Amino acid sequence: MPDFTVPLSSYTEKYRYKYLALFHALRSAIHDGTLPEGTRLPSTRELAEMYGLSRGSVSQAYEMLLAEGYVRTTVGSGTFVTGVLGKAPESAAATAQMTLSPWGSRMVAAMQQSGDAAEGLANTPAPAAAEALISFRDSGPREALFPSAEWKSALAWVARSKHGAHAAAAADPAGDRELRAAIAAHLRRSRGISADAEQICLFNGSMQAITLLTQLLLGEGEPAVLEDPCYYGITRAVSACGGVAVPAQLDGEGMVPRDFVARLLFVTPGRQFPTGVVLSPARRRELLAWAARRNAVIVEDDYDSEFRWSGRPLEPLKALDRDERVVYIGSFSKTMFAALRVGYAVLPRSLIRPVTLAKALYEPAPPAHQEQQALARFMLTGGYERHLRRMRRHYGAMQAALRQGLEQEIGDLFELRPADSGLLVYALWRRSPEEFQAFREAAYARGVVFRNAEIYRQTPGPPAACFGFAHLDKNALYEGISRLKEAWKDIQVTRV
Amino acid sequence: MPDFTVPLSSYTEKYRYKYLALFHALRSAIHDGTLPEGTRLPSTRELAEMYGLSRGSVSQAYEMLLAEGYVRTTVGSGTFVTGVLGKAPESAAATAQMTLSPWGSRMVAAMQQSGDAAEGLANTPAPAAAEALISFRDSGPREALFPSAEWKSALAWVARSKHGAHAAAAADPAGDRELRAAIAAHLRRSRGISADAEQICLFNGSMQAITLLTQLLLGEGEPAVLEDPCYYGITRAVSACGGVAVPAQLDGEGMVPRDFVARLLFVTPGRQFPTGVVLSPARRRELLAWAARRNAVIVEDDYDSEFRWSGRPLEPLKALDRDERVVYIGSFSKTMFAALRVGYAVLPRSLIRPVTLAKALYEPAPPAHQEQQALARFMLTGGYERHLRRMRRHYGAMQAALRQGLEQEIGDLFELRPADSGLLVYALWRRSPEEFQAFREAAYARGVVFRNAEIYRQTPGPPAACFGFAHLDKNALYEGISRLKEAWKDIQVTRV
């Protein structure tokens, strides 16, 4: 079979695994007609010899082609290209259109109108491929600095111990008991929250907690109070339930309390998302008094409290929550690593049972139980505290570098808002909305992006940006700032 | 001010920050009357000196006491305890009762009226503690036979490779791409389903898939067709949405089709849950024709198809699904180990986007991503197929032993229903409902339990039981059967 050839080498650079490289090389060759319909592919042994691959890799690639309908096998005679003609073009989709439930329609609309989808860079040309994009959109963590060896040893400890399988069979839908106890201890020590393990329910990240709580508490047509701006995940959760978002204004003391006619309120007291304002003690008291008067639940999202640069932390609302109206939400995705989807809620006692049942409806046993156990181990052995201390120093330096760099290079474009904690810098645009859009596009063309804070807003407001830095190293940080400066120059030149 | 003292040291162990320790020490002292109303607190400078604290820490603690109303300040004269008279005591727990949303109320009711809660052994005395309970309630898997070494090496491979963290950052809410491709290949090979990775969405177990699909497709007051009996998880999902469960009768060919006025239908064609009936080819065609006529979605839960004892498997409905109306649901929790919460759905193309968005609302990135990657590896290297083959032999022998044992020892009590696959034996009770209840209680007292199949039923029917065996070893199996026999004797003696 000497006439058979695929440009494998150009794919091996792109794909880490040989079978994936081969699969993509073959698929492209089928798509572009190099391997027309009816072509008999070499046997796995022949192809393995031709390209110095293992037979296993070739079989794997063939099976994937088979799975996707690009080839068919005939017993005794071999593997043949079916071509792309027989494959239903994905776009033609003359398939049935399903009618969604009201929840389904609201959810789809909310997901499409918010988040990245709402950021509006879709029509902007992408930067030259050669230049790697520097993104200030993310907000952590820097995974290269994560103590993976220590984490792996915690995972290995769980795998060795009798824990794993057996404990899981009888697992609590609220999540691993030891992790909940470790979180309770951590919250008591570092945040002044007195909660026991029973009050803590684990979730697959904080959005699962926010969505389920909203579903549990908010009926169709009912109002929920949201900070304006706020995280779009909350807006989505409220919209999916058919709830009515009531935007609450912000000022220098955080959310401005009013006698909201509502029974659910979301707030980020420790560091308002995304503006960074800290909710003042007086406002905290007012919100708690409001909740008592209205028999309301306050959901306190303490998404970013572990990293503090200056000032002293105020106690969370939850620590002042005498009559149990506050749900406190935290997460490990920013402090550990992004793939660790572990969030939690500290629940008022009256909500423990409904929340646990809601979780159990979707997940009778929690996923990632071994990771939960490893995280408990990591916390109980002091690994988590040590890691936080190290990262606090590192992120503190990065935050200072970012602020200084932005002020120095493009301080005439942005007014950086103060923040005494957190992995985001919020910056108000000093010029016109048109210039903001032009600047974002020019920056993108230069290979640098940042968040348009408009996606967090419920009511119109002046342009603003969010700069996340935690995932970057210093070189990328400075390079990103320098590209921003160049991008501004690009616009000035264009205009001349 | 020598007479002023608070037990600060006992709080510094408990709280990470000195100001928090001081705040809690002072607050407790106010609560327990050590610092009665009207007490003048030392100045911040005095207290800082007395306890070796910074003045900042003392100010912070005072500010928090002030914020919570425990003290008041009078300009020029100092800080005074206001007392706790006005404040609600923490323990009295006259805590708020929260009003749930209609979804919340329905969900709580559904969870409390179904599942184990509905089995009604709660008032039966527990067996003597010395004797370990033998449970025929579970339905697998036997984790002692799981190839943990091979699994750990797959996990270790993931940990070593660059995969883990980086891939996860950009993770698809539908789950790990390679695992979805591996599942597509497995389904093509073993179930005759042609689906590509795009059509597969991963879930944290099959209940998450069932609940989200129901939510997406079923509006309040709308009917959904369910087999009667069926898995209570489906009933719960329908009830939580406010849907109306329409029970479909079963006969020897499985679900009896009618022209159901509905747009959503749940069915277990491969092995009806829990009765074990196989849906006949004619019925399969009828259901597909019904779905086309009604523009309906059929959810096919293939929960137990990997283990087959006799006969040839019929192709799943999904394999016959020309115009894309069938959602196929599968899971690894029974074939791998219970703590691995990985289920999946093969989606009609028109549902890919709404389902993925629904998943992303709750979980913008999927949990347990490393486990998903390890499972992909385990499948791609052939480990999964090898494990299935071994377990098929083992469970086949266990199933035969259970049937033989039950028939021999208590064949006059139960009529065992035939089943050509699966990890459950369904058995009809041959006597009165009263004797069934008495027998269940006597068995429990002897230290053996089985499922009362009534919990799966929507309309009343004759007593029946489910015996799961996969998790037991042979000794436990025989001991369990022998206890059942003894339990029956116990009742006869009582009656004499």
Side-chain angles (χ1 to χ4, degrees):
Chain A
M1 190 160 280
D3 60 326
F4 183 89
T5 174
V6 285
L8 184 62
S9 58
S10 70
Y11 287 85
T12 46
E13 284 162 31
K14 220 163 133 192
Y15 296 97
R16 187 184 160 78
Y17 301 103
K18 287 183 178 151
Y19 75 90
L20 274 185
L22 181 61
F23 163 73
H24 285 285
L26 289 169
R27 194 170 72 164
S28 296
I30 293 170
H31 268 291
D32 66 24
T34 313
L35 296 176
E37 189 170 355
T39 309
R40 183 176 172 280
L41 295 185
S43 73
T44 54
R45 192 184 43 73
E46 286 168 333
L47 197 61
E49 274 175 25
M50 285 164 69
Y51 287 97
L53 302 167
S54 73
R55 279 190 70 179
S57 293
V58 179
S59 300
Q60 182 58 34
Y62 275 21
E63 256 171 32
M64 288 170 67
L65 290 171
L66 190 65
E68 298 200 3
Y70 287 99
V71 300
R72 61 187 159 76
T73 54
T74 311
V75 179
S77 69
T79 305
F80 296 87
V81 173
T82 49
V84 286
L85 293 177
K87 281 187 69 72
E90 298 198 9
S91 51
T95 59
Q97 282 307 310
M98 310 305 183
T99 313
L100 300 184
S101 67
W103 181 87
S105 307
R106 290 189 305 250
M107 181 279 300
V108 169
M111 297 296 283
Q112 285 172 342
Q113 287 157 15
S114 65
D116 287 349
E119 222 180 355
L121 270 179
N123 299 323
T124 310
E131 203 164 22
L133 190 73
I134 293 176
S135 172
F136 289 105
R137 270 190 194 151
D138 298 337
S139 57
R142 179 90 199 282
E143 307 201 342
L145 299 178
F146 182 73
S148 339
E150 206 175 340
W151 175 246
K152 276 180 202 168
S153 90
L155 279 168
W157 180 86
V158 169
R160 270 197 316 276
S161 72
K162 260 293 167 214
H163 265 71
H166 280 264
D172 188 327
D176 182 64
R177 177 75 197 198
E178 280 177 71
L179 178 54
R180 289 153 66 203
I183 291 171
H186 175 74
L187 289 177
R188 175 176 285 271
R189 224 169 30 239
S190 76
R191 311 291 291 137
I193 293 175
S194 308
D196 49 44
E198 274 80 22
Q199 288 174 270
I200 294 178
C201 183
L202 303 181
F203 292 92
N204 311 323
S206 54
M207 257 317 285
Q208 192 188 33
I210 288 170
T211 313
L212 282 182
L213 279 162
T214 307
Q215 223 166 301
L216 198 61
L217 296 169
L218 192 67
E220 213 178 315
E222 289 182 352
V225 182
L226 277 60
E227 294 167 309
D228 185 14
C230 72
Y231 178 51
Y232 53 73
I234 301 174
T235 322
R236 288 171 168 179
V238 168
S239 302
C241 288
V244 179
V246 177
Q249 279 190 296
L250 300 176
D251 65 14
E253 291 186 62
M255 180 188 254
V256 181
R258 285 192 294 122
D259 190 18
F260 305 108
V261 184
R263 287 191 296 104
L264 180 60
L265 179 146
F266 292 87
V267 65
T268 46
R271 183 197 192 287
Q272 204 280 327
F273 184 91
T275 64
V277 184
V278 178
L279 191 68
S280 71
R283 294 278 171 88
R284 291 172 192 236
R285 284 194 302 275
E286 281 183 70
L287 282 185
L288 289 171
W290 166 82
R293 207 160 55 238
R294 289 279 178 187
N295 191 24
V297 175
I298 295 177
V299 179
E300 171 178 35
D301 187 0
D302 200 20
Y303 68 100
D304 208 8
S305 65
E306 300 287 14
F307 302 116
R308 171 159 294 279
W309 322 126
S310 63
R312 266 177 312 250
L314 287 173
E315 274 193 318
L317 267 186
K318 183 66 195 165
L320 311 173
D321 181 30
R322 298 276 162 278
D323 51 347
E324 305 231 8
R325 306 196 162 277
V326 176
V327 177
Y328 175 92
I329 291 180
S331 161
F332 291 92
S333 304
K334 285 200 201 307
T335 54
M336 294 279 289
F337 52 94
L340 187 75
R341 310 308 301 175
V342 179
Y344 58 88
V346 184
L347 299 166
R349 294 199 184 272
S350 66
L351 285 179
I352 295 175
R353 192 167 162 74
V355 168
T356 311
L357 290 176
K359 185 77 166 45
L361 170 66
Y362 295 83
E363 296 165 5
H369 192 232
Q370 293 206 343
E371 270 183 351
Q372 292 186 3
Q373 293 175 319
L375 180 54
R377 172 83 182 169
F378 191 66
M379 293 179 85
L380 295 175
T381 54
Y384 186 61
E385 286 290 338
R386 277 192 300 278
H387 173 57
L388 284 185
R389 275 198 299 276
R390 272 193 307 267
M391 296 316 288
R392 227 170 258 140
R393 279 195 300 274
H394 169 77
Y395 290 144
M398 291 294 288
Q399 191 257 173
L402 174 68
R403 296 189 84 94
Q404 199 183 2
L406 288 175
E407 257 159 26
Q408 198 169 308
E409 302 297 337
I410 50 171
D412 49 339
L413 302 180
F414 284 109
E415 180 202 335
L416 307 189
R417 301 301 301 155
D420 60 1
S421 69
L423 304 180
L424 269 186
V425 170
Y426 186 75
L428 293 172
W429 180 249
R430 295 185 191 273
R431 295 162 170 266
S432 74
E434 294 71 29
E435 283 170 306
F436 186 62
Q437 175 66 12
F439 178 62
R440 286 175 60 234
E441 287 172 10
Y444 189 44
R446 280 268 173 190
V448 57
V449 289
F450 52 86
R451 277 253 178 256
N452 180 357
E454 197 189 331
I455 65 173
Y456 303 123
R457 219 174 258 133
Q458 289 137 69
T459 53
C466 292
F467 294 92
F469 55 86
H471 57 296
L472 299 173
D473 64 22
K474 268 210 171 150
N475 288 339
L477 188 101
Y478 288 131
E479 171 66 18
I481 296 171
S482 132
R483 287 185 193 176
L484 288 174
K485 188 180 184 178
E486 294 303 315
W488 182 245
K489 283 191 197 153
D490 293 345
I491 313 179
Q492 308 317 111
V493 171
T494 314
R495 289 191 176 166
V496 169
Chain B
M1 192 162 276
D3 60 328
F4 185 85
T5 175
V6 285
L8 184 62
S9 59
S10 68
Y11 288 85
T12 46
E13 284 161 33
K14 225 162 129 191
Y15 296 98
R16 188 184 161 79
Y17 299 104
K18 285 182 179 149
Y19 76 92
L20 275 184
L22 180 62
F23 164 72
H24 284 284
L26 289 169
R27 194 169 69 165
S28 297
I30 294 170
H31 267 290
D32 66 24
T34 311
L35 297 175
E37 187 169 358
T39 308
R40 183 177 173 278
L41 295 186
S43 72
T44 53
R45 189 185 47 72
E46 286 169 335
L47 197 61
E49 274 176 22
M50 284 165 69
Y51 287 96
L53 301 168
S54 72
R55 278 188 74 176
S57 293
V58 178
S59 299
Q60 182 63 22
Y62 276 22
E63 254 168 34
M64 289 169 64
L65 289 171
L66 188 65
E68 296 197 23
Y70 286 99
V71 300
R72 61 187 158 76
T73 54
T74 312
V75 179
S77 70
T79 305
F80 296 87
V81 173
T82 50
V84 288
L85 291 176
K87 302 194 64 75
E90 291 192 28
S91 51
T95 60
Q97 282 307 308
M98 309 307 182
T99 313
L100 300 183
S101 67
W103 181 87
S105 307
R106 291 189 305 251
M107 181 279 301
V108 168
M111 297 297 283
Q112 284 172 342
Q113 286 156 17
S114 64
D116 288 349
E119 223 179 355
L121 270 178
N123 299 323
T124 312
E131 203 165 21
L133 190 73
I134 293 175
S135 172
F136 289 105
R137 271 190 194 150
D138 298 337
S139 56
R142 179 90 198 283
E143 307 202 340
L145 300 178
F146 182 73
S148 342
E150 207 174 339
W151 176 246
K152 276 179 202 168
S153 90
L155 279 168
W157 180 86
V158 169
R160 271 197 314 277
S161 73
K162 260 292 168 215
H163 264 71
H166 280 264
D172 188 329
D176 180 64
R177 175 75 198 201
E178 282 178 68
L179 177 54
R180 289 153 65 203
I183 290 171
H186 175 74
L187 289 177
R188 175 175 285 270
R189 225 168 28 237
S190 76
R191 312 291 291 137
I193 293 174
S194 306
D196 51 42
E198 273 82 20
Q199 288 174 270
I200 294 178
C201 183
L202 302 181
F203 292 93
N204 312 323
S206 53
M207 258 318 285
Q208 193 188 32
I210 288 169
T211 313
L212 282 182
L213 279 162
T214 306
Q215 223 166 303
L216 198 61
L217 295 168
L218 192 68
E220 212 179 314
E222 290 182 352
V225 183
L226 277 60
E227 294 169 309
D228 185 14
C230 72
Y231 178 50
Y232 52 74
I234 302 174
T235 323
R236 288 172 168 177
V238 168
S239 302
C241 288
V244 179
V246 177
Q249 278 190 297
L250 300 175
D251 64 13
E253 291 186 62
M255 180 189 255
V256 181
R258 286 190 295 119
D259 190 19
F260 306 108
V261 184
R263 287 191 296 104
L264 180 61
L265 179 147
F266 292 87
V267 64
T268 47
R271 184 198 192 286
Q272 204 280 326
F273 184 91
T275 65
V277 184
V278 179
L279 190 68
S280 71
R283 294 280 171 86
R284 289 171 193 237
R285 286 193 299 274
E286 280 183 70
L287 283 185
L288 290 171
W290 167 82
R293 207 161 55 238
R294 290 278 178 189
N295 191 24
V297 174
I298 295 178
V299 179
E300 172 178 36
D301 187 1
D302 200 20
Y303 69 101
D304 208 8
S305 65
E306 300 287 15
F307 302 116
R308 170 159 295 279
W309 323 126
S310 62
R312 264 182 312 256
L314 289 172
E315 276 191 315
L317 268 186
K318 183 67 196 164
L320 311 172
D321 180 30
R322 299 277 165 276
D323 53 346
E324 305 229 12
R325 304 196 163 278
V326 176
V327 177
Y328 175 93
I329 291 179
S331 161
F332 292 91
S333 303
K334 284 199 200 313
T335 54
M336 294 279 288
F337 52 94
L340 186 75
R341 310 309 301 176
V342 178
Y344 58 89
V346 184
L347 299 166
R349 292 198 186 272
S350 65
L351 284 180
I352 295 175
R353 191 165 162 74
V355 168
T356 312
L357 290 176
K359 184 77 165 47
L361 170 66
Y362 295 83
E363 296 165 5
H369 192 235
Q370 294 206 343
E371 271 184 351
Q372 293 187 3
Q373 294 176 318
L375 181 54
R377 173 81 181 171
F378 192 65
M379 294 180 84
L380 295 174
T381 54
Y384 185 61
E385 286 292 337
R386 277 193 300 278
H387 172 57
L388 284 185
R389 277 198 298 276
R390 273 193 308 267
M391 296 316 287
R392 228 170 256 139
R393 281 195 299 275
H394 169 77
Y395 288 145
M398 289 295 287
Q399 190 257 173
L402 175 67
R403 296 189 85 93
Q404 200 183 2
L406 288 176
E407 255 158 26
Q408 198 169 305
E409 301 297 339
I410 51 170
D412 50 338
L413 302 181
F414 284 110
E415 179 202 335
L416 306 189
R417 302 300 301 156
D420 60 2
S421 71
L423 304 180
L424 268 187
V425 169
Y426 186 75
L428 293 172
W429 180 250
R430 296 183 189 274
R431 297 163 168 266
S432 74
E434 294 72 27
E435 283 169 306
F436 186 64
Q437 175 66 11
F439 177 62
R440 287 175 60 234
E441 287 173 10
Y444 189 45
R446 279 269 173 191
V448 57
V449 290
F450 51 86
R451 277 253 179 256
N452 179 358
E454 197 189 330
I455 64 173
Y456 302 122
R457 220 175 257 134
Q458 288 137 69
T459 55
C466 292
F467 293 93
F469 55 86
H471 57 297
L472 298 173
D473 65 22
K474 268 209 170 151
N475 287 340
L477 188 100
Y478 289 131
E479 171 66 18
I481 296 171
S482 133
R483 287 184 193 175
L484 289 173
K485 188 180 184 179
E486 294 303 315
W488 182 245
K489 282 192 198 153
D490 292 345
I491 312 180
Q492 308 318 109
V493 170
T494 315
R495 288 189 176 170
V496 167

